[in-house]
Amino acid sequence: MYQAKRKGGAGHQIIDLSEATRSTDRSSLEQDLHLAFARRELSVAYQPVVRSRDGLITGAEALLRWTHPQRGPVSPLDIVSVAEDNGLINQIGAWVLEEACSERASWLALGHSLEVAVNVSARQLMSLDFCAGVAEVLERTGMDPGALVLELTEGIFIRDGERAMVVLAELKRLGVRLALDDFGTGYSSLS
């Protein structure tokens, strides 16, 4: 009824009940994600980064994981999407960064000098305190900034390219390495 009224009234509207179910499902997932983060139910898995020339493992990419008690494993894309929508992305992102940098310290203690890559969402990167937060994590964990690779998607440059360039320049001043993730799947080209 409300959709028909928004379209000018005196008409009809076909309703897909699966859309209402998806909306309710997403709302439930948002609430559950808040609880999962508070209860420390999220985890970080590491995927090896392998040099193609010789097969040498040079690092690891930190990957956010969540196994919901009823739903089972939740897609990282869904986690990030929900976290961006409900404002939890900065807290989760900071936690993943801290976990990854701390884990690298334990690898170093075992004699493995690997770099660690961490994905950063556009909303997270554009937050006012992002660079300061990265600097604090580097200091707190004793992480070598040159061994940290922040992976960014090309969509960051579409939202606010000027601000993104300022943030990226500040990250470079910290000594952090940057990588463009999923290049070419959106709007960028080699030119």
Side-chain angles (χ1 to χ4, degrees):
M1 176 182 75
Y2 292 113
Q3 287 177 4
K5 284 183 178 181
R6 278 194 298 272
K7 290 183 178 181
H12 67 281
Q13 178 68 36
I14 297 173
I15 299 298
D16 180 358
L17 293 178
S18 65
E19 184 63 36
T21 302
R22 279 193 292 275
S23 177
T24 301
D25 189 53
R26 185 165 175 94
S27 177
S28 171
L29 193 61
E30 284 183 22
Q31 293 172 356
D32 292 348
L33 182 58
H34 270 287
L35 288 172
F37 184 65
R39 293 177 180 161
R40 300 176 186 250
E41 294 174 358
L42 303 179
S43 63
V44 177
Y46 295 91
Q47 175 176 294
V49 175
V50 179
R51 189 167 57 199
S52 62
R53 179 172 19 113
D54 56 10
L56 182 70
I57 295 175
T58 60
E61 180 178 1
L63 303 171
L64 179 62
R65 297 291 183 253
W66 176 30
T67 301
H68 189 281
Q70 285 80 35
R71 300 170 191 249
V74 179
S75 161
L77 294 175
D78 290 340
I79 299 169
V80 170
S81 175
V82 167
E84 282 190 333
D85 289 347
N86 70 13
L88 199 55
I89 192 65
N90 291 337
Q91 293 167 282
I92 291 175
W95 173 78
V96 170
L97 180 63
E98 181 112 19
E99 287 290 308
C101 290
S102 296
E103 185 67 27
R104 182 180 183 271
S106 67
W107 299 338
L108 279 174
L110 297 171
H112 305 292
S113 183
L114 301 171
E115 65 184 31
V116 67
V118 177
N119 291 292
V120 176
S121 79
R123 182 158 294 161
Q124 186 183 355
L125 181 84
M126 300 306 255
S127 68
L128 294 176
D129 60 348
F130 180 71
C131 291
V134 170
E136 288 172 15
V137 168
L138 292 171
E139 177 72 27
R140 203 169 29 253
T141 61
M143 174 76 176
D144 171 12
L148 175 61
V149 179
L150 296 180
E151 294 190 1
L152 318 164
T153 61
E154 56 193 296
I156 286 169
F157 301 102
I158 294 163
R159 285 191 172 184
D160 184 354
E162 196 172 307
R163 166 93 176 111
M165 293 307 291
V166 169
V167 174
L168 296 179
E170 178 61 27
L171 290 170
K172 290 300 288 180
R173 276 194 290 283
L174 289 174
V176 172
R177 296 172 41 223
L178 304 170
L180 198 54
D181 197 19
D182 299 329
F183 180 77
T185 59
Y187 305 95
S188 296
S189 69
L190 289 176
S191 63

